[in-house]
Amino acid sequence: MREALAEWRPVIDDAIAEILPREVDGDDLEAFFGEPTFAYDPEGIQRALADPLWDLLDRGGKRWRAVLFLVFVDALGEDPQAFHPYACIPEILHNGTIIVDDVEDGASIRRGEPALHHVHGEDIALNAGNAMYFLPLKILTHDPGDLGAETRLRAYEMLLYELNRTHLGQGMDICWHNERGVRISTEQYLEMCACKTGCLSRIVARLAAIVTDQEPAVEDALARYAELTAIAFQIGDDILDVEHSLGRAGEFGKEFGNDIREGKTTLLVLHAIETAGAERAGRLEEILETDANTDEEVADALAIIEDVGSIEHARERALEFSEQARGALEDLPVDLELEPRAQLLEFTEFVVDRDV
Amino acid sequence: MREALAEWRPVIDDAIAEILPREVDGDDLEAFFGEPTFAYDPEGIQRALADPLWDLLDRGGKRWRAVLFLVFVDALGEDPQAFHPYACIPEILHNGTIIVDDVEDGASIRRGEPALHHVHGEDIALNAGNAMYFLPLKILTHDPGDLGAETRLRAYEMLLYELNRTHLGQGMDICWHNERGVRISTEQYLEMCACKTGCLSRIVARLAAIVTDQEPAVEDALARYAELTAIAFQIGDDILDVEHSLGRAGEFGKEFGNDIREGKTTLLVLHAIETAGAERAGRLEEILETDANTDEEVADALAIIEDVGSIEHARERALEFSEQARGALEDLPVDLELEPRAQLLEFTEFVVDRDV
């Protein structure tokens, strides 16, 4: 997968530039958005849309949603070359959510530079992030290629289903951040992951199945693989934050005890509160509720999480989801191409084992 | 139209409550968003989505996009009763844009109360606003009623076309606010209106044509009517702001010289800069560029706009668009029902003549 990532990135960027070039002119706008009724202002749209989009993309990012899409297409026996435009759909959506999430979270840094709303202004950043929710959906209309009406309809209804659930997941997550106390169940935490992180992965998988005209059973199994892998990834992320903070992991690029300071409800926190006994659970909740934590409080919270075995518990759950993801591939009613299939299997291990 | 507005509002609200009730439970969520993979947190989703949505709706708003949709349906010879769920689509979209625009503009007041992001927090408000972009689009999937696959596809592609252009319009408008100097043409200003305000009106008209299965020529003519009426409305809005500020209009509910203080490029400003001569045009631009204007500066700017006849000019243009909108109805290849047709004609006059 790592090789695929390096190989495909410039190809994906070229495909995105076909839709929205780094420097837009009136013709580009007309080609993608349709004729103006009066006259576009390309200079304004450059600053409002093309600049923030390319600023974010040129900072890095692995384009792994686009690459995963092409790996799915490859695995399903089609030539990925013919499907580049559609690979841009989850990639642009993902980058749109990054811009909006950073405003919602009040983030200051993104990919080593000031978050987009600090560079372009909150108004421009938000509008660009939102435009990046709709721009990719239009790719299906703009570039129907060989996609028939039925396929496009299937794609739109899938996208709207998943994008609605994405906002449910983000909504739950924000709510829990803002709440005093931890009141949710593990099942609800996993639902948040399934919605917030999982739905975008499901879009990757389902879109690959839809544009290559697979049966619904194939689409469902690939969606399940994608969702389970995303949940394992999210738990892996939560573990990394704690391990890094405990000084165990390598370079991570986040502040010490970031999740604790944000008061994030994670699988580790839920497990610790459930098993640490009333006193220490109460202490952990209290630290999570406090708006500005001292380093000592953060260290206390981390110690509770470590002592009660929440890291091991979370790792076991992540491995379980990762195994179930592999199982979803076994259940497929079609044979996948061997090499991309191996990449998909490998990916389920990477999301749990990674150290960055 | 005024009677229609009063009559329909509770009906529209009931239809919205069918989709997202004031108090959500797990069954409601499952019915609309689909089965959870694990378990929803209805309490969280209540606070993240239902509370902000109903907070905004219960503050007022005339639901005129929903009502206009039903008037179109009526005019096209169908029973509006059967089309309530689809009337919610432009209405929820519109309220979503209000929440997001208020964050982008840093607005403090909305419908006489603190803007949503001041009540619910910026994170919740933004996510709810964005959810309200996708929630209504799913109504077509969730409540297909008699809508066939072809009709749904036509509706999705129309919605994505218009929602993309909405973000172009908002992007241009934000850019111009932030820029020093006024560099755009009247045609570009009108394009901004056509995109930012017009596209949502076009959605109202086109959706009514699509769900009642009209020919493309009918859809196009109604879209043209809706776009022209929206532009006339926007110009009317700009005129009202200046007239109110000059103490000529009735109660308006906005601060004195709001648009001038915001540095808004309006048709009046463009006309004044073009015709006022270098010195006064320069003075007007300078005032618009200044971040915090004194009342004296605002009065100066208003005096320039008034003296060079920009109010009359803008009113003439608004009347012209309003007349063209009526013309678009004349060109229709189908006969409209008489009573709703009269309402549509009357509406083109209301948007220019209104004093609130």
Side-chain angles (χ1 to χ4, degrees), chain B residues 65-119:
Chain B
R65 285 160 192 83
V67 173
L68 189 58
F69 170 88
L70 296 172
V71 172
F72 277 124
V73 168
D74 195 10
L76 292 164
E78 298 286 341
D79 177 11
Q81 299 283 350
F83 292 86
H84 291 169
Y86 311 121
C88 304
I89 294 175
E91 196 55 48
I92 298 175
L93 282 172
H94 165 65
N95 281 279
T97 64
I98 282 183
I99 298 177
V100 175
D101 286 5
D102 278 352
V103 175
E104 290 173 358
D105 299 345
S108 49
I109 299 287
R110 171 58 61 182
R111 295 178 185 160
E113 292 178 41
L116 273 277
H117 58 284
H118 288 297
V119 177

Side-chain angles (χ1 to χ4, degrees), chain A residues 37-41 47 122 127 130 134-135 152 156-157 164-165 167 176 183 187-188 191 227, chain B residues 37-41 122 127 130 134-135 152 156-157 164-165 167 176 179 183 188 191 227:
Chain A
T37 309
F38 302 94
Y40 289 129
D41 170 31
R47 254 173 285 157
E122 194 166 293
N127 187 64
N130 281 173
F134 290 111
L135 204 139
R152 300 211 302 286
Y156 292 126
E157 300 204 327
N164 265 287
R165 285 168 59 91
H167 285 85
W176 304 342
R183 69 164 168 79
E187 293 293 289
Q188 290 172 326
E191 186 67 26
E227 180 176 88
Chain B
T37 308
F38 302 92
Y40 288 129
D41 169 31
E122 194 165 295
N127 186 65
N130 281 174
F134 290 110
L135 204 139
R152 300 210 303 286
Y156 292 127
E157 301 205 325
N164 266 287
R165 285 168 58 91
H167 284 85
W176 304 342
E179 276 174 22
R183 69 165 168 77
Q188 290 171 327
E191 186 67 27
E227 180 176 271

